[in-house]
mmCIF file of all heavy atoms in Angstrom:
data_model
loop_
_atom_site.group_PDB
_atom_site.id
_atom_site.type_symbol
_atom_site.label_atom_id
_atom_site.label_comp_id
_atom_site.label_asym_id
_atom_site.label_seq_id
_atom_site.Cartn_x
_atom_site.Cartn_y
_atom_site.Cartn_z
ATOM 1 N N GLY A 1 0.827 -1.231 -0.007
ATOM 2 C CA GLY A 1 0.016 0.100 0.017
ATOM 3 C C GLY A 1 0.960 1.174 0.011
ATOM 4 O O GLY A 1 2.106 1.241 0.032
ATOM 5 N N ARG A 2 0.176 2.351 0.148
ATOM 6 C CA ARG A 2 0.883 3.758 0.000
ATOM 7 C C ARG A 2 0.956 4.346 1.423
ATOM 8 O O ARG A 2 -0.043 4.189 2.309
ATOM 9 C CB ARG A 2 0.192 4.606 -0.917
ATOM 10 C CG ARG A 2 0.236 4.225 -2.397
ATOM 11 C CD ARG A 2 -0.026 5.388 -3.261
ATOM 12 N NE ARG A 2 0.135 4.750 -4.635
ATOM 13 C CZ ARG A 2 1.126 4.761 -5.405
ATOM 14 N NH1 ARG A 2 2.270 5.133 -4.889
ATOM 15 N NH2 ARG A 2 1.234 4.209 -6.543
ATOM 16 N N LEU A 3 2.079 4.878 1.683
ATOM 17 C CA LEU A 3 2.162 5.619 3.099
ATOM 18 C C LEU A 3 1.282 6.816 3.065
ATOM 19 O O LEU A 3 1.252 7.633 2.172
ATOM 20 C CB LEU A 3 3.654 6.167 3.253
ATOM 21 C CG LEU A 3 4.647 4.964 3.475
ATOM 22 C CD1 LEU A 3 6.058 5.681 3.424
ATOM 23 C CD2 LEU A 3 4.410 4.240 4.810
ATOM 24 N N THR A 4 0.457 7.003 4.110
ATOM 25 C CA THR A 4 -0.467 8.098 4.238
ATOM 26 C C THR A 4 0.255 9.349 4.665
ATOM 27 O O THR A 4 -0.308 10.447 4.578
ATOM 28 C CB THR A 4 -1.626 7.879 5.066
ATOM 29 O OG1 THR A 4 -1.085 7.549 6.455
ATOM 30 C CG2 THR A 4 -2.438 6.601 4.554
ATOM 31 N N ARG A 5 1.402 9.170 5.349
ATOM 32 C CA ARG A 5 2.056 10.350 5.802
ATOM 33 C C ARG A 5 3.702 9.917 5.951
ATOM 34 O O ARG A 5 3.861 8.703 5.932
ATOM 35 C CB ARG A 5 1.657 10.902 7.063
ATOM 36 C CG ARG A 5 1.475 9.926 8.231
ATOM 37 C CD ARG A 5 0.833 10.485 9.445
ATOM 38 N NE ARG A 5 0.382 9.498 10.421
ATOM 39 C CZ ARG A 5 1.291 8.911 11.434
ATOM 40 N NH1 ARG A 5 2.533 9.337 11.448
ATOM 41 N NH2 ARG A 5 0.791 7.846 12.150
ATOM 42 N N ASP A 6 4.582 10.762 6.297
ATOM 43 C CA ASP A 6 5.948 10.429 6.483
ATOM 44 C C ASP A 6 6.053 9.528 7.668
ATOM 45 O O ASP A 6 5.249 9.667 8.572
ATOM 46 C CB ASP A 6 6.707 11.633 6.706
ATOM 47 C CG ASP A 6 7.117 12.345 5.365
ATOM 48 O OD1 ASP A 6 6.919 11.720 4.273
ATOM 49 O OD2 ASP A 6 7.570 13.490 5.372
ATOM 50 N N VAL A 7 6.968 8.568 7.655
ATOM 51 C CA VAL A 7 7.111 7.757 8.897
ATOM 52 C C VAL A 7 7.593 8.476 10.082
ATOM 53 O O VAL A 7 8.514 9.413 9.850
ATOM 54 C CB VAL A 7 8.158 6.640 8.466
ATOM 55 C CG1 VAL A 7 8.635 5.755 9.682
ATOM 56 C CG2 VAL A 7 7.640 5.845 7.315
ATOM 57 N N GLU A 8 7.096 8.202 11.127
ATOM 58 C CA GLU A 8 7.500 8.897 12.438
ATOM 59 C C GLU A 8 8.480 7.951 13.108
ATOM 60 O O GLU A 8 8.134 6.788 13.583
ATOM 61 C CB GLU A 8 6.279 9.184 13.392
ATOM 62 C CG GLU A 8 6.626 9.802 14.729
ATOM 63 C CD GLU A 8 5.416 10.024 15.531
ATOM 64 O OE1 GLU A 8 4.310 10.224 14.933
ATOM 65 O OE2 GLU A 8 5.605 10.103 16.749
ATOM 66 N N LEU A 9 9.747 8.392 13.288
ATOM 67 C CA LEU A 9 10.821 7.624 13.966
ATOM 68 C C LEU A 9 11.038 8.168 15.227
ATOM 69 O O LEU A 9 11.345 9.418 15.463
ATOM 70 C CB LEU A 9 12.104 7.764 13.120
ATOM 71 C CG LEU A 9 13.312 6.879 13.590
ATOM 72 C CD1 LEU A 9 13.007 5.473 13.618
ATOM 73 C CD2 LEU A 9 14.495 7.203 12.796
ATOM 74 N N ARG A 10 10.996 7.323 16.315
ATOM 75 C CA ARG A 10 11.371 7.656 17.778
ATOM 76 C C ARG A 10 12.249 6.728 18.256
ATOM 77 O O ARG A 10 12.595 5.588 17.586
ATOM 78 C CB ARG A 10 10.103 7.646 18.543
ATOM 79 C CG ARG A 10 9.073 8.957 18.105
ATOM 80 C CD ARG A 10 7.963 8.847 18.955
ATOM 81 N NE ARG A 10 6.949 7.837 18.385
ATOM 82 C CZ ARG A 10 6.373 6.875 19.189
ATOM 83 N NH1 ARG A 10 6.485 6.884 20.425
ATOM 84 N NH2 ARG A 10 5.618 6.001 18.748
ATOM 85 N N TYR A 11 12.766 6.954 19.398
ATOM 86 C CA TYR A 11 13.660 5.976 20.070
ATOM 87 C C TYR A 11 13.234 5.721 21.590
ATOM 88 O O TYR A 11 12.748 6.651 22.239
ATOM 89 C CB TYR A 11 15.064 6.529 20.132
ATOM 90 C CG TYR A 11 15.852 6.475 18.710
ATOM 91 C CD1 TYR A 11 15.655 7.523 17.898
ATOM 92 C CD2 TYR A 11 16.536 5.448 18.262
ATOM 93 C CE1 TYR A 11 16.299 7.612 16.578
ATOM 94 C CE2 TYR A 11 17.095 5.317 17.225
ATOM 95 C CZ TYR A 11 16.876 6.510 16.196
ATOM 96 O OH TYR A 11 17.528 6.507 14.933
ATOM 97 N N THR A 12 13.255 4.519 21.983
ATOM 98 C CA THR A 12 12.924 4.089 23.271
ATOM 99 C C THR A 12 14.029 4.608 24.241
ATOM 100 O O THR A 12 15.076 5.036 23.810
ATOM 101 C CB THR A 12 12.725 2.606 23.515
ATOM 102 O OG1 THR A 12 14.069 2.054 23.439
ATOM 103 C CG2 THR A 12 11.690 2.040 22.444
ATOM 104 N N PRO A 13 13.708 4.621 25.622
ATOM 105 C CA PRO A 13 14.855 5.046 26.490
ATOM 106 C C PRO A 13 16.069 4.285 26.382
ATOM 107 O O PRO A 13 17.193 4.684 26.795
ATOM 108 C CB PRO A 13 14.031 4.910 27.887
ATOM 109 C CG PRO A 13 12.591 5.193 27.632
ATOM 110 C CD PRO A 13 12.439 4.455 26.243
ATOM 111 N N SER A 14 15.897 2.976 26.035
ATOM 112 C CA SER A 14 17.160 2.066 25.864
ATOM 113 C C SER A 14 17.674 2.246 24.503
ATOM 114 O O SER A 14 18.448 1.410 23.985
ATOM 115 C CB SER A 14 16.787 0.599 26.191
ATOM 116 O OG SER A 14 15.686 0.182 25.308
ATOM 117 N N ASN A 15 17.357 3.372 23.786
ATOM 118 C CA ASN A 15 17.952 3.667 22.363
ATOM 119 C C ASN A 15 17.450 2.590 21.231
ATOM 120 O O ASN A 15 18.277 2.440 20.443
ATOM 121 C CB ASN A 15 19.280 3.940 22.414
ATOM 122 C CG ASN A 15 19.817 4.831 21.342
ATOM 123 O OD1 ASN A 15 19.107 5.734 20.943
ATOM 124 N ND2 ASN A 15 21.061 4.570 20.891
ATOM 125 N N VAL A 16 16.278 2.128 21.274
ATOM 126 C CA VAL A 16 15.797 1.181 20.146
ATOM 127 C C VAL A 16 14.880 1.940 19.315
ATOM 128 O O VAL A 16 13.925 2.639 19.839
ATOM 129 C CB VAL A 16 15.120 0.020 20.826
ATOM 130 C CG1 VAL A 16 14.495 -0.956 19.716
ATOM 131 C CG2 VAL A 16 15.959 -0.848 21.731
ATOM 132 N N ALA A 17 15.130 1.989 17.965
ATOM 133 C CA ALA A 17 14.326 2.649 17.087
ATOM 134 C C ALA A 17 13.052 2.034 16.919
ATOM 135 O O ALA A 17 12.913 0.799 16.741
ATOM 136 C CB ALA A 17 15.114 2.652 15.670
ATOM 137 N N VAL A 18 12.007 2.968 16.819
ATOM 138 C CA VAL A 18 10.536 2.547 16.650
ATOM 139 C C VAL A 18 10.036 3.439 15.638
ATOM 140 O O VAL A 18 9.981 4.707 15.786
ATOM 141 C CB VAL A 18 9.776 2.594 17.919
ATOM 142 C CG1 VAL A 18 8.397 2.163 17.619
ATOM 143 C CG2 VAL A 18 10.463 1.831 19.081
ATOM 144 N N ALA A 19 9.554 2.915 14.484
ATOM 145 C CA ALA A 19 8.843 3.618 13.407
ATOM 146 C C ALA A 19 7.279 3.351 13.424
ATOM 147 O O ALA A 19 6.968 2.122 13.595
ATOM 148 C CB ALA A 19 9.501 3.275 12.070
ATOM 149 N N THR A 20 6.593 4.411 13.435
ATOM 150 C CA THR A 20 5.079 4.197 13.290
ATOM 151 C C THR A 20 4.688 4.821 11.957
ATOM 152 O O THR A 20 5.103 5.891 11.481
ATOM 153 C CB THR A 20 4.390 4.758 14.469
ATOM 154 O OG1 THR A 20 4.671 6.148 14.606
ATOM 155 C CG2 THR A 20 4.664 4.151 15.625
ATOM 156 N N PHE A 21 3.690 4.152 11.377
ATOM 157 C CA PHE A 21 3.221 4.649 9.990
ATOM 158 C C PHE A 21 1.856 4.138 9.714
ATOM 159 O O PHE A 21 1.425 3.002 10.325
ATOM 160 C CB PHE A 21 4.282 4.348 8.806
ATOM 161 C CG PHE A 21 4.510 2.873 8.701
ATOM 162 C CD1 PHE A 21 3.938 2.157 7.645
ATOM 163 C CD2 PHE A 21 5.408 2.342 9.416
ATOM 164 C CE1 PHE A 21 4.313 0.794 7.412
ATOM 165 C CE2 PHE A 21 5.818 0.940 9.289
ATOM 166 C CZ PHE A 21 5.169 0.212 8.339
ATOM 167 N N ASN A 22 1.205 4.733 8.763
ATOM 168 C CA ASN A 22 -0.121 4.179 8.319
ATOM 169 C C ASN A 22 -0.007 3.811 6.896
ATOM 170 O O ASN A 22 0.647 4.590 6.079
ATOM 171 C CB ASN A 22 -1.186 5.294 8.475
ATOM 172 C CG ASN A 22 -1.510 5.635 9.878
ATOM 173 O OD1 ASN A 22 -1.450 4.702 10.717
ATOM 174 N ND2 ASN A 22 -1.862 6.939 10.222
ATOM 175 N N LEU A 23 -0.563 2.641 6.535
ATOM 176 C CA LEU A 23 -0.623 2.262 5.111
ATOM 177 C C LEU A 23 -1.948 2.049 4.691
ATOM 178 O O LEU A 23 -2.927 1.611 5.229
ATOM 179 C CB LEU A 23 0.039 0.859 5.296
ATOM 180 C CG LEU A 23 0.663 0.340 3.938
ATOM 181 C CD1 LEU A 23 1.866 1.136 3.517
ATOM 182 C CD2 LEU A 23 1.210 -1.114 4.289
ATOM 183 N N ALA A 24 -2.269 2.805 3.497
ATOM 184 C CA ALA A 24 -3.495 2.696 2.758
ATOM 185 C C ALA A 24 -3.463 1.574 1.726
ATOM 186 O O ALA A 24 -2.667 1.606 0.766
ATOM 187 C CB ALA A 24 -3.712 4.092 2.051
ATOM 188 N N VAL A 25 -4.254 0.589 2.017
ATOM 189 C CA VAL A 25 -4.207 -0.630 1.056
ATOM 190 C C VAL A 25 -5.542 -0.753 0.473
ATOM 191 O O VAL A 25 -6.614 -0.782 1.095
ATOM 192 C CB VAL A 25 -4.099 -1.866 2.098
ATOM 193 C CG1 VAL A 25 -4.129 -3.098 1.187
ATOM 194 C CG2 VAL A 25 -2.779 -1.848 2.790
ATOM 195 N N ASN A 26 -5.476 -0.596 -0.855
ATOM 196 C CA ASN A 26 -6.772 -0.768 -1.694
ATOM 197 C C ASN A 26 -7.475 -2.076 -1.628
ATOM 198 O O ASN A 26 -6.776 -3.065 -1.538
ATOM 199 C CB ASN A 26 -6.346 -0.401 -3.141
ATOM 200 C CG ASN A 26 -6.155 1.034 -3.501
ATOM 201 O OD1 ASN A 26 -6.742 1.829 -2.793
ATOM 202 N ND2 ASN A 26 -5.448 1.279 -4.524
ATOM 203 N N ARG A 27 -8.820 -2.027 -1.699
ATOM 204 C CA ARG A 27 -9.445 -3.222 -1.663
ATOM 205 C C ARG A 27 -9.545 -3.763 -3.088
ATOM 206 O O ARG A 27 -9.314 -3.089 -4.065
ATOM 207 C CB ARG A 27 -10.884 -3.156 -1.209
ATOM 208 C CG ARG A 27 -10.933 -2.701 0.333
ATOM 209 C CD ARG A 27 -12.312 -2.511 0.939
ATOM 210 N NE ARG A 27 -12.342 -2.212 2.252
ATOM 211 C CZ ARG A 27 -13.335 -2.049 2.937
ATOM 212 N NH1 ARG A 27 -14.531 -1.999 2.413
ATOM 213 N NH2 ARG A 27 -13.167 -1.760 4.217
ATOM 214 N N ASN A 28 -9.812 -5.027 -3.221
ATOM 215 C CA ASN A 28 -9.837 -5.695 -4.676
ATOM 216 C C ASN A 28 -11.118 -5.425 -5.447
ATOM 217 O O ASN A 28 -11.163 -5.779 -6.623
ATOM 218 C CB ASN A 28 -9.657 -7.186 -4.418
ATOM 219 C CG ASN A 28 -8.234 -7.592 -4.044
ATOM 220 O OD1 ASN A 28 -7.361 -6.893 -4.124
ATOM 221 N ND2 ASN A 28 -8.207 -8.810 -3.433
ATOM 222 N N PHE A 29 -12.160 -4.786 -4.733
ATOM 223 C CA PHE A 29 -13.330 -4.563 -5.583
ATOM 224 C C PHE A 29 -13.745 -3.100 -5.394
ATOM 225 O O PHE A 29 -13.134 -2.366 -4.651
ATOM 226 C CB PHE A 29 -14.478 -5.407 -4.993
ATOM 227 C CG PHE A 29 -14.582 -5.367 -3.459
ATOM 228 C CD1 PHE A 29 -15.501 -4.341 -2.966
ATOM 229 C CD2 PHE A 29 -13.745 -6.106 -2.710
ATOM 230 C CE1 PHE A 29 -15.552 -4.218 -1.558
ATOM 231 C CE2 PHE A 29 -14.110 -6.089 -1.276
ATOM 232 C CZ PHE A 29 -14.772 -5.041 -0.650
ATOM 233 N N LYS A 30 -14.748 -2.714 -6.270
ATOM 234 C CA LYS A 30 -15.208 -1.273 -6.300
ATOM 235 C C LYS A 30 -16.508 -1.245 -5.458
ATOM 236 O O LYS A 30 -17.281 -2.330 -5.453
ATOM 237 C CB LYS A 30 -15.391 -0.736 -7.612
ATOM 238 C CG LYS A 30 -14.007 -0.658 -8.393
ATOM 239 C CD LYS A 30 -14.227 -0.104 -9.707
ATOM 240 C CE LYS A 30 -12.862 -0.034 -10.469
ATOM 241 N NZ LYS A 30 -13.065 0.366 -11.740
ATOM 242 N N ASN A 31 -16.881 -0.149 -4.869
ATOM 243 C CA ASN A 31 -18.130 -0.005 -4.119
ATOM 244 C C ASN A 31 -19.228 0.233 -5.132
ATOM 245 O O ASN A 31 -19.085 0.219 -6.297
ATOM 246 C CB ASN A 31 -18.040 1.220 -3.062
ATOM 247 C CG ASN A 31 -17.823 2.494 -3.677
ATOM 248 O OD1 ASN A 31 -17.942 2.645 -4.898
ATOM 249 N ND2 ASN A 31 -17.552 3.409 -2.826
ATOM 250 N N GLN A 32 -20.457 0.463 -4.631
ATOM 251 C CA GLN A 32 -21.661 0.676 -5.496
ATOM 252 C C GLN A 32 -21.564 1.855 -6.389
ATOM 253 O O GLN A 32 -22.196 1.821 -7.350
ATOM 254 C CB GLN A 32 -22.946 0.743 -4.562
ATOM 255 C CG GLN A 32 -23.251 -0.497 -3.945
ATOM 256 C CD GLN A 32 -24.505 -0.297 -2.894
ATOM 257 O OE1 GLN A 32 -24.961 0.794 -2.715
ATOM 258 N NE2 GLN A 32 -24.955 -1.449 -2.516
ATOM 259 N N ASP A 33 -20.796 2.773 -6.055
ATOM 260 C CA ASP A 33 -20.581 4.056 -6.834
ATOM 261 C C ASP A 33 -19.412 3.759 -7.861
ATOM 262 O O ASP A 33 -19.137 4.822 -8.600
ATOM 263 C CB ASP A 33 -20.198 5.259 -5.928
ATOM 264 C CG ASP A 33 -21.362 5.479 -5.017
ATOM 265 O OD1 ASP A 33 -22.606 5.365 -5.374
ATOM 266 O OD2 ASP A 33 -21.057 6.098 -3.977
ATOM 267 N N GLY A 34 -18.921 2.619 -7.874
ATOM 268 C CA GLY A 34 -17.762 2.384 -8.891
ATOM 269 C C GLY A 34 -16.494 2.880 -8.377
ATOM 270 O O GLY A 34 -15.514 2.902 -9.220
#
C-alpha cells in the first residue's frame, strides 16, 4: 500500500528505534458508486 504520511521515527529510553506509520491498502473490488 501507500504511506499516508511520512514515517515517524522515535527511540525508546534504551535507544531502540521505533517507526510508526499508516498504510493505505486498496480493496480488490469497487463499491456501489464504482
Side-chain angles (χ1 to χ4, degrees):
R2 295 198 180 272
L3 292 171
T4 61
R5 58 184 165 85
D6 286 343
V7 175
E8 182 180 329
L9 181 64
R10 292 177 285 133
Y11 290 87
T12 66
S14 58
N15 207 31
V16 176
V18 182
T20 56
F21 58 99
N22 291 329
L23 205 57
V25 179
N26 283 336
R27 294 186 178 176
N28 290 335
F29 54 89
K30 296 179 181 178
N31 63 15
Q32 292 177 346
D33 299 326

